[in-house]
Amino acid sequence: MATVNAQEQRKVIFGSSLGTAFEWYDFFVFGTLAAILGPLFYSKELGETGAFLAGLATYGAGLVLRPFGSLIFGRMGDVVGRKTTFMMTMTLMGVSTAGVGLLPTYETAGILAPILLVILRCLQGLALGGEYGGAATYVAEHALPGKRGYATGWIQICASLGFFMSLVVVLACQSIMGEATFKSWGWRIPFLISVLLFGVSLYIRSKLNESPVFAALKASGNLSTAPVRDSFANWSNMKYVLLSLFGAVAGVGIVWYTGQFYALIFLQKSLKVDFSTAYILMSVALALAIPFYVVFGTLSDKFGRKRLMMLSFVLASVSYIPLFQALTHFANPALEQAMARTPVRMQSNECSVRLFAGPASDCDKVKEFLNTSGVAHSLQTSNQAGVTTSIGSASINGFDTRAIKAALEQAGYPAKADPAAINKPMVVLILFMLVFYVCMAYGPIAAYLVELFPTRIRYSSISLPYHIGTGYFGGFMLYFATLIATSTGDIYSGLYYSIAVALMSLLIGGLFLPETKDWDISR
């Protein structure tokens, strides 16, 4: 097998990481703009919460297709080669992302607009399904002995770097154009920039060589002719696929999405921090935390991958609710005081869980108004028809927005977070802690998965559990947590979804997963 020197390793890390960061940018810019795209691509009859949930579900459509992309491109990567495959996934991602920037909106094209949006989102999911496994495998197979965690730590940076890039580009565009212009047509620019990023990353990756581990296996004639079958129809390998999915990747995905995307949504939707301030605070926290992906990847070379991942699950489980409560305290203290002093209570027998549809009964309409206003509330079932909303000494029957708004103002509920009252250093610190957990969990996972599976079926075996775990368990966290929080009225209740998945991975991973840092990846 050909040896790799330090210069070649640096070249591979740079080329692979840059291309992967651009692909994550393409995938995440949609999630970054979910609050804006929902009302643009879905009927106003859904209401603001319904349109936002529909936007999150559309984001989730890309997540659904990621495992299928992993099967298609995983097989290709194990048969044709790592480099050729992730060149193809990059092309598909670049074209589909730019296409979103050219779509008509619902106002222009009606139902055709969301249909086209979902199709392009699905193509993005297929592309990303083949990208991560290829990049992680490619870098790990080039890594110097004892440096796999360090080398793949750079690949792990890429997801958050892509998210960071999407925040910066969106924020810059909005600042230059103004909020009204950006919401009208300027939202297209972050998608169209993908064409430039695609050209740069395609050129850089075209200069890289094939993985020496794969090349040696190919030269020996020992490539798998049916890597999908060998990965998932063989119990000795499928056992590790399932254990890595439920015992590691699901928890990693939950920590990733909760600490970054959901925290950003929470700031804007629940705490009513304005768009620019929320993006700036999250961008600063990300910039401070991103180097720790490589730090924890390097630490995993010394102390083991599994220990660090399990520790992150423990920390997330016990501290998520206190950390998000602290976000409320430092980002919108007036809201915290109002919730403690004058809780809002509803009594009705008409409320229902609305997955996408807009408000139906008066109870649903009141909940929609309170959720849109960022007001926490509780609901008690009553035998009395209609809905009664109690805010302090005020008791409002039916759906009377003027009376509810007046009572909320009287009780001290703020319409939005006061910029002067936001303790920005403390908010950044809390966001940094959330992303720090992400680095601890996500930094070692690429090296762990590469080591867990043999070379001849590695691309296929890595990709499926990774994309189900991060895509289904992690990505759909945004939708389910928002649905739980808006249905219960408790702004923290959505976090129980994250805590449950983290505890599941802690239990399964802690008991059944092996430590892999000293395993031979050329097997």
Side-chain angles (χ1 to χ4, degrees):
M1 184 181 73
T3 58
V4 178
N5 56 35
Q7 182 179 358
E8 177 71 7
Q9 179 180 264
R10 287 193 295 270
K11 178 182 175 183
V12 166
I13 289 173
F14 175 74
S16 300
S17 300
L18 191 63
T20 303
F22 289 162
E23 287 212 52
W24 280 114
Y25 165 85
D26 286 352
F27 192 77
F28 285 142
V29 72
F30 186 97
T32 303
L33 291 170
I36 292 175
L37 296 180
L40 287 172
F41 282 89
Y42 292 92
S43 171
K44 290 182 173 61
E45 294 179 0
L46 295 180
E48 183 174 331
T49 301
F52 180 60
L53 285 170
L56 290 179
T58 304
Y59 174 80
L63 305 174
V64 170
L65 269 291
R66 278 167 60 176
F68 296 96
S70 74
L71 293 175
I72 296 169
F73 293 111
R75 181 187 184 281
M76 189 178 298
D78 283 326
V79 174
V80 179
R82 312 335 190 180
K83 175 185 171 180
T84 300
T85 303
F86 65 44
M87 294 282 282
M88 294 181 65
T89 63
M90 179 181 296
T91 302
L92 181 60
M93 178 66 84
V95 171
S96 56
T97 302
V100 174
L102 300 173
L103 288 180
T105 61
Y106 189 91
E107 185 177 358
T108 303
I111 192 64
L112 180 63
I115 291 174
L116 293 174
L117 182 65
V118 170
I119 290 173
L120 290 178
R121 188 64 188 163
C122 288
L123 292 177
Q124 285 184 318
L126 284 174
L128 195 63
E131 164 62 24
Y132 177 83
T137 299
Y138 185 74
V139 170
E141 291 178 350
H142 275 89
L144 297 172
K147 296 286 187 179
R148 282 195 294 270
Y150 163 78
T152 56
W154 291 94
I155 288 294
Q156 302 307 89
I157 279 180
C158 296
S160 287
L161 183 59
F163 182 39
F164 175 77
M165 289 166 57
S166 72
L167 292 177
V168 171
V169 170
V170 168
L171 184 61
C173 290
Q174 194 212 38
S175 300
I176 293 170
M177 299 177 179
E179 185 173 352
T181 302
F182 183 76
K183 287 184 176 181
S184 175
W185 62 268
W187 60 269
R188 299 179 183 276
I189 292 178
F191 291 100
L192 297 176
I193 286 175
S194 175
V195 175
L196 176 62
L197 301 181
F198 163 65
V200 172
S201 55
L202 191 66
Y203 172 78
I204 292 173
R205 283 194 172 180
S206 68
K207 302 298 182 182
L208 300 177
N209 298 317
E210 182 55 89
S211 153
V213 176
F214 178 83
L217 190 68
K218 184 176 182 180
S220 69
N222 291 322
L223 292 179
S224 173
T225 57
V228 174
R229 182 194 65 198
D230 293 344
S231 292
F232 309 118
N234 177 0
W235 174 245
S236 63
N237 192 76
M238 185 62 182
K239 173 180 66 176
Y240 285 120
V241 170
L242 294 174
L243 286 175
S244 64
L245 166 58
F246 294 105
V249 187
V252 170
I254 276 293
V255 172
W256 202 97
Y257 276 92
T258 305
Q260 296 177 124
F261 264 117
Y262 191 69
L264 181 63
I265 289 172
F266 185 82
L267 282 174
Q268 295 178 84
K269 303 294 288 185
S270 297
L271 304 187
K272 294 300 176 181
V273 175
D274 71 90
F275 180 95
S276 297
T277 302
Y279 275 47
I280 290 171
L281 295 174
M282 177 57 78
S283 297
V284 172
L286 281 172
L288 293 172
I290 276 176
F292 285 92
Y293 285 107
V294 179
V295 170
F296 282 112
T298 303
L299 287 175
S300 76
D301 286 327
K302 183 176 182 180
F303 299 109
R305 330 290 187 201
K306 177 180 170 179
R307 285 193 184 98
L308 294 176
M309 291 188 290
M310 297 303 120
L311 178 58
S312 72
F313 301 157
V314 172
L315 292 173
S317 300
V318 301
S319 66
Y320 268 164
I321 290 180
L323 285 174
F324 276 79
Q325 289 173 335
L327 271 182
T328 304
H329 177 76
F330 291 111
N332 196 339
L335 176 63
E336 180 190 46
Q337 294 164 13
M339 289 192 300
R341 184 177 55 244
T342 315
V344 177
R345 298 183 177 89
M346 297 172 58
Q347 289 186 328
S348 178
N349 63 352
E350 296 179 346
C351 267
S352 58
V353 176
R354 313 293 292 175
L355 297 180
F356 300 113
S361 66
D362 279 353
C363 181
D364 295 322
K365 292 175 183 178
V366 172
K367 284 186 69 65
E368 165 74 7
F369 179 81
L370 294 174
N371 285 325
T372 302
S373 302
V375 176
H377 53 278
S378 61
L379 174 64
Q380 295 177 332
T381 303
S382 169
N383 294 326
Q384 182 180 352
V387 57
T388 300
T389 307
S390 300
I391 306 171
S393 60
S395 183
I396 302 104
N397 294 318
F399 179 55
D400 186 341
T401 56
R402 182 177 297 180
I404 295 173
K405 187 174 181 180
L408 290 173
E409 290 177 354
Q410 180 67 29
Y413 280 89
K416 60 180 181 179
D418 179 3
I422 299 174
N423 188 330
K424 295 181 176 64
M426 288 304 300
V427 171
V428 168
L429 177 60
I430 295 165
L431 294 175
F432 170 82
M433 291 176 65
L434 291 170
V435 183
F436 188 80
Y437 296 168
V438 177
C439 298
M440 188 183 298
Y442 201 60
I445 189 67
Y448 185 84
L449 292 175
V450 168
E451 292 161 349
L452 196 59
F453 300 105
T455 303
R456 62 196 299 267
I457 55 174
R458 179 170 291 140
Y459 202 141
S460 300
S461 297
I462 285 175
S463 297
L464 187 66
Y466 176 82
H467 288 292
I468 291 178
T470 59
Y472 287 18
F473 284 96
F476 276 105
M477 178 268 171
L478 303 178
Y479 175 79
F480 287 119
T482 301
L483 180 63
I484 292 169
T486 54
S487 298
T488 62
D490 180 353
I491 61 176
Y492 307 113
S493 61
L495 294 168
Y496 288 112
Y497 175 88
S498 300
I499 292 169
V501 176
L503 289 174
M504 175 192 74
S505 288
L506 176 64
L507 178 64
I508 296 174
L511 291 176
F512 301 111
L513 279 177
E515 178 53 66
T516 63
K517 78 177 182 70
D518 297 320
W519 288 17
D520 178 13
I521 67 166
S522 63
R523 69 189 192 282

